[in-house]
Amino acid sequence: MSAPPSLKSPATAAFLASPRLAVAPRAAVLGATAQPPRRLSCSAAVGMSAPMDWAARSVGELEQATDLDTFCMMALSPLDGRYFRFIKDLMPFFSEFGLIRYRVLVEVKWLLKLSQIPEVKEVPPFSKDAQLFLDAIVQDFSINDAKEVKQIEKITNHDVKAVEYYLKQKCSSNPEVAKVLEFFHFGCTSEDINNLSHALALKEGVNTVMFPVMIDVCSAICSLATENAHVPLLSKTHGQPASPTTLGKEMANFAARLSDIGKSFSEVKILGKFAGAVGNYNADVVAYPEIDWPKMTEEFVRSLGLEFNPYVTQIEPHDYISKLFNLFVQFNIVLTDFDKDMWTYISAGYFKQIAKAGEVGSSTMPHKINPINFENSEGNLSVSNGLLCTLSMKLPISRLQRDLTDSTVLRNLGVGLGHSLLAYKATMQGIKKLEVNKVRLDEDLEQTWEVLAEPIQTVMRRYGIPEPYEKLKEMTRGQAVTKDSIRKFIEGLDLPEDAQSSLLKLTPHSYTGEAENLAANIWNVVDLKSGFKIK
């Protein structure tokens, strides 16, 4: 690899040639042992459109690393280590590789845009071959290419400048592009490149990886609702027996809440800026005063599939990231509520968990099958929301026209989302293990005939019987209530025959109101097609 022209001092040339800058194989890490390549499936590639093939390819490159097991063992973050196989599909978008690749994309696309502006005569329109050459730099960008950029960064100590120098080196072999190398990064500040890179990572990463799993979670909960729409369940308010519902209706409540949040994602606009050092196109206007730079840069930003923000400082203010992450936080709060309820239902015996051969529940109690998936989900949702809330509150704040505090914080976008993704997959795994225990559900209902006090006193009100609430309170509150005692009370009421007959037929199992219908109709309420989508 040769140094860019601006770095070709004798000392720099010698430094670049030094063996210490050679990319060492991972197995050379102290204590690492070379292992056979390990291939894992990339679920992000399923149904992936052609433009996303690069993401699956980069995951494949990582999985073929001979020392992947050693790396995972020594990873500081559990996402990159223990949980690698669950979150690896996010890595192409939010890793260092992903950020570098998006920077390369933006720089190349900007050079191509300049070649289409008639006033910029110094960058004439590229031939088809030159365009294909530039497109290939982006499409074929690999982990090894990203390593080359990192080598340059060791000298520049500036990540975006390293990308510019990398592209100048890469394009010096193409006679046509070589003539306009200095128009890479033309009129740009680093944040012009960075903000578009982060925006593209968020849009593509969330649409490609996060939303499909969130839709799967909603679908699984909807299926629980419809399959168990008719199964009566003793409600608990304040932890005490309350009017019965159905198991399916309680699942439908969560499905409706999560779906409603999903619809709001489509309202988020992923924004980008390209207005130079302080947001006013200062250098652009001096170089080419005849060009309408706000119009030109808006065209460029929109060509990347992003919305344009014309009012900025050096940075795009990140308000849209706050809106986006606040929706994830809200979704995660509802899912935490679901996880806690499922844990409680399992603890009450309303669900059995299907045992998996070879799996251990406790190191000392052999009988145990713990609700570990819902617990894992709850824990990771907590970690994720802590990070996402921090990002949401910090990113919109920047001193004057810009400070650098957002730069290091932005590198954690994928960490917050990664813990969410891990949680969603854990919830899905927990749902797959569930088996309804109708015997246990029936037992609790049979022991709580006092819940019929509500409908009895309501019917008494209708027919003018005095003090209905007080009479039922005296009979049931703190008292042992049985089927026989309830029937005796009803038979002693001065009610029309049809009303009395209806009450005598009522049981805790049948007193569920419209719960079954509400649960059965959940798919008429849940919309997973128009929601969970960023346009």
Side-chain angles (χ1 to χ4, degrees):
M1 179 182 72
S2 59
S6 57
L7 296 181
K8 282 185 177 176
S9 66
T12 299
F15 184 67
L16 274 174
S18 171
R20 61 179 167 171
L21 282 186
V23 179
R26 301 299 279 277
V29 176
L30 182 62
T33 303
Q35 300 290 333
R38 187 173 68 168
R39 293 180 180 273
L40 304 176
S41 62
C42 178
S43 58
V46 178
M48 185 180 291
S49 58
M52 289 292 104
D53 284 349
W54 66 270
R57 187 177 67 244
S58 64
V59 172
E61 289 183 53
L62 178 59
E63 290 173 341
Q64 292 177 40
T66 57
D67 65 331
L68 180 61
D69 289 333
T70 299
F71 170 76
C72 289
M73 190 68 69
M74 293 298 294
L76 185 61
S77 166
L79 291 179
D80 297 322
R82 180 179 182 84
Y83 302 125
F84 165 81
R85 67 187 187 279
F86 298 108
I87 58 86
K88 60 189 173 67
D89 294 343
L90 272 182
M91 289 180 168
F93 304 96
F94 297 105
S95 59
E96 184 75 358
F97 160 81
L99 180 56
I100 294 172
R101 181 191 174 277
Y102 281 118
R103 285 168 172 163
V104 168
L105 182 152
V106 174
E107 294 276 13
V108 168
K109 295 292 186 182
W110 179 234
L111 182 65
L112 288 167
K113 177 63 177 177
L114 289 172
S115 73
Q116 299 165 5
I117 303 174
E119 293 86 350
V120 185
K121 297 181 175 60
E122 293 77 8
V123 187
F126 290 116
S127 67
K128 185 176 181 179
D129 286 344
Q131 292 180 42
L132 290 173
F133 173 82
L134 289 168
D135 287 340
I137 293 175
V138 177
Q139 293 301 321
D140 299 337
F141 194 80
S142 67
I143 292 177
N144 284 332
D145 292 319
K147 289 178 181 179
E148 288 189 38
V149 176
K150 297 300 289 184
Q151 294 291 75
I152 298 172
E153 187 185 341
K154 289 179 179 179
I155 300 168
T156 63
N157 198 29
H158 195 289
D159 46 8
V160 177
K161 203 65 179 175
V163 170
E164 178 189 344
Y165 288 160
Y166 166 81
L167 286 169
K168 287 179 176 179
Q169 293 175 185
K170 195 81 172 176
C171 294
S172 60
S173 61
N174 184 287
E176 194 172 340
V177 183
K179 296 177 182 178
V180 294
L181 292 180
E182 290 306 321
F183 281 84
F184 276 118
H185 205 71
F186 179 82
C188 298
T189 186
S190 295
E191 191 56 24
D192 287 331
I193 309 302
N194 283 334
N195 90 96
L196 298 182
S197 298
H198 289 303
L200 288 169
L202 279 170
K203 183 175 181 180
E204 294 182 353
V206 167
N207 276 334
T208 305
V209 181
M210 298 299 295
F211 285 160
V213 181
M214 295 165 81
I215 290 172
D216 286 345
V217 170
C218 289
S219 295
I221 297 174
C222 281
S223 294
L224 281 176
T226 55
E227 291 167 8
N228 299 286
H230 64 290
V231 178
L233 166 72
L234 179 65
S235 294
K236 294 284 184 70
T237 59
H238 310 281
Q240 303 302 308
S243 301
T245 180
T246 72
L247 187 57
K249 169 57 170 42
E250 299 315 297
M251 301 299 105
N253 290 342
F254 288 108
R257 294 170 68 188
L258 293 172
S259 170
D260 192 55
I261 298 168
K263 296 172 186 174
S264 300
F265 280 105
S266 62
E267 300 170 6
V268 177
K269 296 179 179 179
I270 306 296
L271 299 173
K273 59 84 68 172
F274 211 72
V278 293
N280 301 321
Y281 311 95
N282 302 48
D284 300 308
V285 170
V286 171
Y288 291 96
E290 66 274 24
I291 295 176
D292 183 348
W293 286 107
K295 178 176 180 293
M296 206 60 62
T297 53
E298 179 175 359
E299 289 177 1
F300 174 63
V301 171
R302 291 188 181 278
S303 74
L304 298 175
L306 305 173
E307 297 293 324
F308 181 67
N309 189 349
Y311 290 96
V312 297
T313 57
Q314 184 176 106
I315 66 170
E316 200 289 321
H318 311 311
D319 294 333
Y320 81 87
I321 298 180
S322 289
K323 293 178 183 177
L324 177 63
F325 282 179
N326 285 340
L327 286 174
F328 272 103
V329 168
Q330 189 178 358
F331 185 94
N332 291 351
I333 289 172
V334 174
L335 194 61
T336 299
D337 197 18
F338 174 80
D339 288 335
K340 286 174 177 284
D341 277 8
M342 299 308 289
W343 188 97
T344 304
Y345 290 142
I346 292 169
S347 180
Y350 294 166
F351 285 106
K352 297 178 182 179
Q353 295 182 97
I354 300 171
K356 185 177 179 181
E359 202 170 74
V360 175
S362 167
S363 63
T364 187
M365 294 174 281
H367 68 284
K368 297 197 74 177
I369 305 176
N370 295 327
I372 57 173
N373 297 111
F374 295 111
E375 292 170 334
N376 185 288
S377 176
E378 181 185 336
N380 277 286
L381 290 171
S382 177
V383 173
S384 177
N385 277 6
L387 288 167
L388 295 177
C389 284
T390 297
L391 290 163
S392 178
M393 291 187 292
K394 189 275 157 284
L395 287 175
I397 301 171
S398 186
R399 296 174 182 86
L400 303 179
Q401 284 67 52
R402 197 265 168 100
D403 63 42
L404 201 63
T405 55
D406 67 327
S407 178
T408 188
V409 174
L410 282 164
R411 291 180 178 274
N412 291 279
L413 299 179
V415 182
L417 292 175
H419 282 283
S420 285
L421 181 62
L422 182 58
Y424 304 157
K425 291 187 175 184
T427 294
M428 283 295 297
Q429 194 62 31
I431 291 173
K432 291 176 182 178
K433 293 180 179 179
L434 295 177
E435 181 180 315
V436 176
N437 186 356
K438 293 184 179 179
V439 173
R440 184 70 186 86
L441 287 162
D442 289 341
E443 285 177 357
D444 272 7
L445 287 164
E446 191 61 37
Q447 293 172 9
T448 51
W449 281 81
E450 63 268 25
V451 298
L452 297 185
E454 180 190 41
I456 294 171
Q457 66 97 7
T458 303
V459 172
M460 291 169 65
R461 286 174 186 273
R462 175 183 175 182
Y463 291 103
I465 297 177
E467 299 183 331
Y469 178 87
E470 288 72 18
K471 290 177 179 176
L472 266 299
K473 177 182 175 183
E474 182 180 352
M475 176 198 174
T476 60
R477 196 164 193 241
Q479 305 296 319
V481 181
T482 66
K483 177 181 178 179
D484 290 339
S485 63
I486 282 286
R487 287 183 64 86
K488 185 177 180 180
F489 182 88
I490 295 171
E491 289 169 349
L493 296 174
D494 184 15
L495 290 171
E497 185 177 346
D498 59 339
Q500 192 173 62
S501 176
S502 177
L503 285 177
L504 287 170
K505 292 177 183 177
L506 201 59
T507 70
H509 300 74
S510 63
Y511 179 48
T512 57
E514 291 291 332
E516 181 174 351
N517 292 331
L518 287 166
N521 291 326
I522 186 60
W523 281 112
N524 296 327
V525 176
V526 168
D527 180 6
L528 301 181
K529 292 185 178 180
S530 60
F532 298 104
K533 186 183 301 179
I534 296 178
K535 300 177 181 177

